[in-house]
Amino acid sequence: MKEKKRDWKFIIGMTALLAVFAVITVFFWRRVAYDAALEKAREAQQEKEAVEAIYVYVGDMLKTGVLVDMKTEQVFTAPIPKDGIVNRNGTMIEGDVLEEGDMVRLYGDGQMSDDPVPVYANVTKMQRTGRATLEQAEEYRTIAEEKTGSR
């Protein structure tokens, strides 16, 4: 029987190639895990900085919709983001309209204009979190009317 000669160059080359692929794979998945951790930290920071507000109408003749921060009681307005309004589950809501008593969570850079009624212009995401009771809506409407001077 004739013995086959082993091709050592081929074996060493393939072993080196597999080692390189293993190293690339390890570094790739480490980078993916690092990026995922960064994204999770960024989302946690956004969640922490989100503004919880309630939408109410102020004014007698000409009703104007404003938002009242539920923690600081600051009155402001905010445009609906181009992506629209999402519900608690992250699904888009039809119509993109806020109704009196809607409770929303606003995500963005937190910068407000210096207008008499500040505008939170850089809203990146608006999430409807629920509906206020009539008592809650009336309480925040009173706060908004006091702060804006409209009755």
Side-chain angles (χ1 to χ4, degrees), residues 8-58:
W8 287 106
K9 288 181 185 179
F10 178 76
I11 293 171
I12 292 171
M14 288 305 288
T15 303
L17 185 63
L18 289 173
V20 167
F21 280 141
V23 168
I24 289 172
T25 302
V26 167
F27 281 108
F28 171 78
W29 286 111
R30 285 183 67 189
R31 180 60 189 203
V32 167
Y34 176 75
D35 289 346
L38 282 179
E39 180 68 18
K40 189 174 182 179
R42 185 183 65 76
E43 287 176 359
Q45 183 67 24
Q46 277 185 333
E47 196 66 36
K48 183 178 155 190
E49 294 173 353
V51 175
E52 302 251 351
I54 187 168
Y55 187 78
V56 294
Y57 292 114
V58 295

Side-chain angles (χ1 to χ4, degrees), residues 33-103:
Y34 176 75
D35 289 346
L38 282 179
E39 180 68 18
K40 189 174 182 179
R42 185 183 65 76
E43 287 176 359
Q45 183 67 24
Q46 277 185 333
E47 196 66 36
K48 183 178 155 190
E49 294 173 353
V51 175
E52 302 251 351
I54 187 168
Y55 187 78
V56 294
Y57 292 114
V58 295
D60 285 331
M61 297 295 280
L62 183 62
K63 299 266 185 206
T64 306
V66 294
L67 292 156
V68 181
D69 188 321
M70 296 173 78
K71 293 177 187 161
T72 66
E73 296 182 348
Q74 179 182 12
V75 178
F76 63 96
T77 61
I80 294 175
K82 64 180 178 188
D83 294 339
I85 304 171
V86 297
N87 64 14
R88 279 182 248 180
N89 302 326
T91 323
M92 296 303 286
I93 296 174
E94 295 287 326
D96 293 341
V97 176
L98 290 175
E99 297 175 2
E100 186 162 26
D102 280 346
M103 295 187 297

